[in-house]
Amino acid sequence: MKKPKSTLLFLFIALFLWLNTGITFSSGRPGRNFIDSLLQTMTIDEKIGQLIQIDFSAVGKEKAIEYILKYNVGSFLNVWTPEEIKLLQETALKQTRTGVPLIFGLDVIHGYRTIFPIPLAESCSWNPKLVEKSARIAAIEASAHGIHWTFAPMVDIARDARWGRIAEGAGEDTYLGCVMAEARVRGFQGNDLSNPTTIVACPKHYVAYGACEGGKDYNTVDISPATLYQVYLPPFAAAINAGALTVMSAFNEINGIPASANEYTLREILKKRWGFKGFVVSDYNAVAELVIHGFVPDKQNAALKAITAGVDMEMMGFSYLKNLKMLTESGKLPVAIVDSTVKRILYVKYELGLFKNPIYGSEKRRKNETLKSEFINHARTIARESIVLLKNKNKLLPLDESSFPVALIGPLAASKKDLLGSWSCAGKPEDVISILEALETRIGGKNILYAKGCEIERWSEKDLKKALRVARKAKTIILVLGETREMSGEGGSRAYIGLTESQLRLTKAITRLKKPVVVVLVNGRPLAIPWIAQNIPAIIESWQLGIQHGPAVVDVLFGDCNPSGKLTVSFPKATGQEPLYYNHKMTGRPPIKPGNRFESKYIDLQPGPLFPFGYGLSYSKFIYSELKIYPKVLRPTDTLLVTVKITNDSDIPGKEIVQLYIRDVSASLTRPVKELKDFKKVYIRPHEHKIVTFRLPVSTCGFYNSKMEWKVEPGKFKLWVGPSSAEGLTGEFEIK
Ligand code: NOJ
């Protein structure tokens, strides 16, 4: 397309403005002046173009170029090659009148090429520094490949393990969710967004997507304001406080109003109360789906509702592209709304430095900054810390030479792709070291016998026979069981969250040999595994750990790494217990007396989880003692001081995650039975101890009352410091 003559003048003005701007927007007025002046020169079509994001993988190159030239679209997702990114960017810069740079987004969820553990697994490290580093590395690799923007972190609280997307977040707890949200935003964005090795974060899915009924993806959310405020909103607030400059609006409705047309959550809470300065992108097609929700009769009304509510950019769906102009012409949509929306997008582009440096990455950076050995080392470190040891009867683990030969059996023992987990971006199965490969490297091929045993969802007598033959020759059996990567993640909700039939049959047949068995679980969600928990002496929860999955598991199996991870999600005994979370309410009839029918429980299941939130074993033995709470009576402005002595009563050095919980015993709105308020991960040498100190400002002991105001109510509180949500030393304090 040829440039009109006015383009030269325009470019001159733009250049002048650009040269006269400050370094970044946050530094003050100059950026705002630049954007205001730029906006004044834009036509309505050019403005609307900025509000549109196109999926390159869905439309292809020719169409993509057409969208730029004809509709001035401002953003693409899923452009996978730097060459294509460059082509599109140059088209926008050189062949459109305004030359506003495009912003390229991608789902960089747990690594770009160097794939780290799935976020749920990483959260089990309770180590925000390591989590931040994963996000930092992901940003370096992604930006080297031309990406400006990641659709992460997923900060949805997930209390129902049937929901496949539980894999993508930090689990069921809001406090931990906030800590991890901040860490990930810091990692992606660094402390200077205009640095071309950082990318802009996008906390998602705003909001309450994790509260979908029945754990069914995309399902209805019917939620009390208190739960929305107390449980689901805080991780978004935390991410925004940490500097996140975009937010993704969710697919679900909230109490009848879809999240992608929800003026209350988007405009009132996010933009007005929290002062969010960046922009909101809808989830994929979520604006167009307002019609299917039954919220609006057609796409034109969908576009009107969404933009009015505060969705700034539409990801696919084409409702904005086809309708916004008409809506402004008819006066239904004030141009002022379009302007403020465009400004938010230009602001983020400006903060990213795209007006100065629109094309990220280079051949050299890609060569030097992809799958670097430092990145791979980090992948192993975080994978090791993400593993949770669930059971270790009679200290079966760690294994040593006396356990050789080892039989490695199971449908996931040699798998590579499943270890990547869902959303593995540019990760490749060939980058992954499987458990079989890592074991061969660690103990030598001759000490290992391998058989698949069965497929995840298919049974064969022949496979079983081979597995039994192999198992009979071995001294110890390692069974690798769980889920394929497709069984969790988006659209991966399951009605039964146990192991599949074939895997259970295999496990039962193997245990009949009466040999020591270790189960290694590979999965994207908590599993209901009561039989395994009862009958298998050692269980390692390894989740989906990315490219260094195999080595990390083998490190734990042989004690080269002492496991230190703790669960950030409760494991159920049966699927029917879901949603299951430790910080539930007390009810008037909590289950306390076995045999009493009239309590809040099921008649066919013992109450409580199989493995609770915060739980995880170590090869060390930690003893908690000397809990001290000071003062016992506090004023609202005070800070509570809590100390506890943790002794490592073993010969093995180890790390312990010390957790602090409280309960507000009586309040104007009932409070959870326990709430995590702080934690510390401490390293303790054999037979030594550490005094762990917590400082808890009384202001953090409040909650949102019936008017949704954060208040600390006077009264008695219980406190626990322990190794999980189900154990610990107990104390009390009072707020006057
Ligand atoms: C839909 C998913 O819900 C969202 O998490 C993702 O970022 C977008 N698709 C883009 O791939």
Side-chain angles (χ1 to χ4, degrees), residues 77-78 107 109 151 165 168 204-205 209 218 248 251 283-284 315 423 490:
L77 78 152
N78 295 337
D107 289 283
I109 308 296
F151 304 127
R165 302 200 81 170
E168 294 175 50
K204 67 185 187 184
H205 307 80
Y209 184 39
Y218 319 115
M248 187 184 291
F251 286 127
D283 204 339
Y284 203 108
M315 184 190 286
W423 296 111
E490 188 178 353

Side-chain angles (χ1 to χ4, degrees), residues 111-272:
Y112 177 83
R113 173 74 188 267
T114 306
I115 300 302
F116 301 111
I118 54 168
L120 178 61
E122 279 200 346
S123 71
C124 293
S125 72
W126 299 60
N127 191 334
K129 283 218 170 76
L130 291 186
V131 170
E132 179 177 339
K133 189 161 178 194
S134 298
R136 180 78 204 103
I137 294 170
I140 293 171
E141 285 190 345
S143 60
H145 288 79
I147 298 302
H148 303 136
W149 177 22
T150 175
F151 304 127
M154 199 281 249
V155 302
D156 299 317
I157 298 302
R159 294 170 149 191
D160 192 326
R162 288 171 294 182
W163 191 45
R165 302 200 81 170
I166 198 169
E168 294 175 50
E172 72 190 40
D173 183 68
T174 301
Y175 175 76
L176 191 72
C178 291
V179 172
M180 293 301 167
E182 285 163 3
R184 291 208 161 94
V185 171
R186 278 198 306 269
F188 289 130
Q189 295 198 168
N191 44 24
D192 175 8
L193 204 49
S194 67
N195 172 336
T197 69
T198 61
I199 56 180
V200 62
C202 183
K204 67 185 187 184
H205 307 80
Y206 190 75
V207 55
Y209 184 39
C212 47
E213 275 179 7
K216 208 163 55 173
D217 213 355
Y218 319 115
N219 206 10
T220 308
V221 170
D222 200 69
I223 194 176
S224 74
T227 304
L228 180 67
Y229 272 73
Q230 198 75 43
V231 178
Y232 291 92
L233 282 169
F236 286 94
I240 284 146
N241 272 337
L245 271 192
T246 74
V247 165
M248 187 184 291
S249 67
F251 286 127
N252 54 283
E253 67 159 69
I254 307 161
N255 306 337
I257 302 179
S260 289
N262 201 309
E263 209 160 335
Y264 178 63
T265 54
L266 291 167
R267 228 177 252 293
E268 172 61 27
I269 297 180
L270 176 70
K271 293 185 174 174
K272 201 164 143 209

Side-chain angles (χ1 to χ4, degrees), residues 396-404 406 442-443 476 557-558:
L396 173 55
L397 293 172
L399 303 175
D400 58 26
E401 286 176 12
S402 66
S403 11
F404 297 168
V406 169
R442 176 66 170 74
I443 66 174
T476 313
L557 280 169
F558 288 93

Side-chain angles (χ1 to χ4, degrees), residues 505-522:
R505 259 172 95 175
L506 171 70
T507 311
K508 288 180 182 169
I510 294 286
T511 49
R512 281 196 280 275
L513 299 177
K514 303 250 175 294
K515 298 198 175 189
V517 178
V518 180
V519 161
V520 176
L521 294 170
V522 173

